[in-house]
Amino acid sequence: MSKTIIDDQDLSRVKYTGTWARGGSSHEHDGTVASSTNVGDSFSVTFSGSSIAVYGTIDSTSGGVLANYSIDGAPSVQVSSQAGSGDTFNQQFWVSPTLALGKHELIVDMAKINQDAGPGEGTIWFDYFVATDPTIHTDSGNKRTNIGAIVGGVVGGIVMVTSFILLLLFLRRRRRTMRDLARVQPVFWPKSEEHGAHLLKQRRKQCRFTFNTHNAISGFISSRKSTGLRQSLGQDSFPSRSPIHSSSSSSSPSMTIPPLLREGSDRPVGKHQIVSHLPEDDQASLPSTTTPSNPARVQHIDSGVRAINVESIDIPTAALELPPVYSPH
């Protein structure tokens, strides 16, 4: 339920007719009152709601003063004022019955004045009017509740924002930690000495298989390229070259290069000479692995890199490789 206070000096809603005096003190609403000592003077008040009440001030000379009250042109109701013991404030002069909700007009006129009370006396002083609207609910308890809800919402919002920022920082730090851990190479420790020996043996097999497979594929590719090149240019363009043995020592045994290895020396692939891995059948043609006093020196006319099968050729007994002799083209 809403209560609207209309002051006596609110001239947008209160219209005076006749001679009205303005007064007031600090004990009255907004420090103002309005009074008349002439019969027939009147004023009107417009308001919205379902009822209205009239409040003012009386004194010892106000007893028997008559005023007529009428709503929306209905027959007026006359009310007689009582006398007070001195100035008496916030007295209710009249209250309307319950009206239809809407806009209304109250008209008040002075019907009787105490003429023998002296100048400015023998009357009543109108202070303010209270209009009631039951459709509007205003409660101080609700106001306190609304304030509490607002404060709670603000605090909750701050907590949510802070939590979101902390979550972002946590995720960022975690992502950075995971990225750093990804850069570290894992180290696998064997469970025992037997387990470590088993892992080492498997690793050696893998390396040997990779080495042999690489040599076999390289030999196949170089053989195909050499065959195609010989067919396109003719066999005479590629005269076979035999290795040059040094004659510095007559006692040193000569080393015969197997046909597959000799053919591989004539196969150019890019900028290098690629020699395929020797098969097991050709390994029997290799010389004895006894270490000679003066190993043979082998010098190739063409340039390039040659692979040595470390499993079938003993490094100390192999012929010494001299820098190649570059033949003019």
Side-chain angles (χ1 to χ4, degrees):
M1 181 178 295
S2 173
K3 294 183 178 295
T4 303
I5 297 178
I6 303 173
D7 187 68
D8 65 291
Q9 296 301 313
D10 186 357
L11 301 183
S12 63
R13 299 184 181 183
V14 182
K15 306 296 182 180
Y16 292 97
T17 302
T19 304
W20 291 85
R22 178 180 176 180
S25 66
S26 60
H27 300 285
E28 292 155 327
H29 186 267
D30 285 347
T32 61
V33 291
S35 63
S36 175
T37 55
N38 298 319
V39 175
D41 289 350
S42 64
F43 65 85
S44 63
V45 181
T46 58
F47 67 95
S48 295
S50 59
S51 66
I52 188 169
V54 182
Y55 292 85
T57 302
I58 59 176
D59 63 3
S60 57
T61 63
S62 300
V65 175
L66 300 178
N68 297 324
Y69 299 88
S70 175
I71 297 290
D72 297 333
S76 61
V77 176
Q78 190 174 81
V79 178
S80 176
S81 177
Q82 298 178 354
S85 56
D87 294 336
T88 306
F89 308 101
N90 297 320
Q91 297 298 305
Q92 180 176 305
F93 294 162
W94 177 80
V95 61
S96 70
T98 302
L99 307 172
L101 186 62
K103 187 175 182 180
H104 304 280
E105 181 183 30
L106 167 66
I107 298 177
V108 179
D109 64 87
M110 303 303 297
K112 179 185 176 183
I113 302 297
N114 295 327
Q115 298 292 342
D116 56 353
E121 299 295 333
T123 186
I124 57 177
W125 291 264
F126 295 93
D127 190 3
Y128 60 93
F129 313 91
V130 178
T132 302
D133 189 347
T135 61
I136 301 178
H137 301 278
T138 57
D139 190 0
S140 58
N142 292 335
K143 291 181 179 179
R144 288 192 295 270
T145 303
N146 294 336
I147 294 175
I150 293 173
V151 173
V154 172
V155 174
I158 294 175
V159 172
M160 288 183 63
V161 172
T162 304
S163 302
F164 181 73
I165 294 175
L166 293 178
L167 179 61
L168 289 180
L169 294 177
F170 172 76
L171 293 178
R172 182 178 180 183
R173 184 175 181 181
R174 183 179 179 182
R175 188 181 299 109
R176 184 182 301 172
T177 303
M178 296 299 293
R179 185 168 57 249
D180 294 340
L181 291 177
R183 297 175 182 174
V184 179
Q185 296 295 334
V187 178
F188 299 96
W189 296 98
K191 300 179 180 179
S192 61
E193 293 183 1
E194 292 78 5
H195 185 222
H198 177 69
L199 293 179
L200 182 59
K201 186 177 180 180
Q202 289 184 347
R203 182 60 179 171
R204 288 177 176 175
K205 289 183 178 180
Q206 293 176 358
C207 294
R208 182 176 299 175
F209 175 77
T210 303
F211 179 78
N212 295 338
T213 304
H214 172 73
N215 288 340
I217 294 175
S218 300
F220 176 75
I221 294 175
S222 58
S223 176
R224 297 288 293 179
K225 289 185 177 181
S226 176
T227 302
L229 188 59
R230 289 176 182 273
Q231 292 177 356
S232 60
L233 299 180
Q235 185 66 26
D236 298 337
S237 300
F238 294 90
S240 59
R241 300 190 181 100
S242 60
I244 301 175
H245 297 274
S246 174
S247 59
S248 59
S249 176
S250 61
S251 60
S252 59
S254 61
M255 181 177 180
T256 304
I257 304 302
L260 180 60
L261 184 62
R262 211 167 37 244
E263 182 182 0
S265 63
D266 294 334
R267 292 196 300 267
V269 179
K271 297 181 180 180
H272 306 285
Q273 294 294 123
I274 299 178
V275 179
S276 61
H277 175 64
L278 292 176
E280 295 181 356
D281 297 339
D282 295 337
Q283 294 179 8
S285 62
L286 295 177
S288 174
T289 58
T290 57
T291 306
S293 59
N294 294 320
R297 294 174 173 83
V298 179
Q299 187 175 33
H300 299 276
I301 298 177
D302 58 336
S303 61
V305 178
R306 288 168 175 77
I308 299 176
N309 188 355
V310 296
E311 295 184 355
S312 59
I313 301 176
D314 190 3
I315 298 301
T317 63
L320 298 180
E321 291 283 343
L322 298 178
V325 176
Y326 296 94
S327 59
H329 294 285

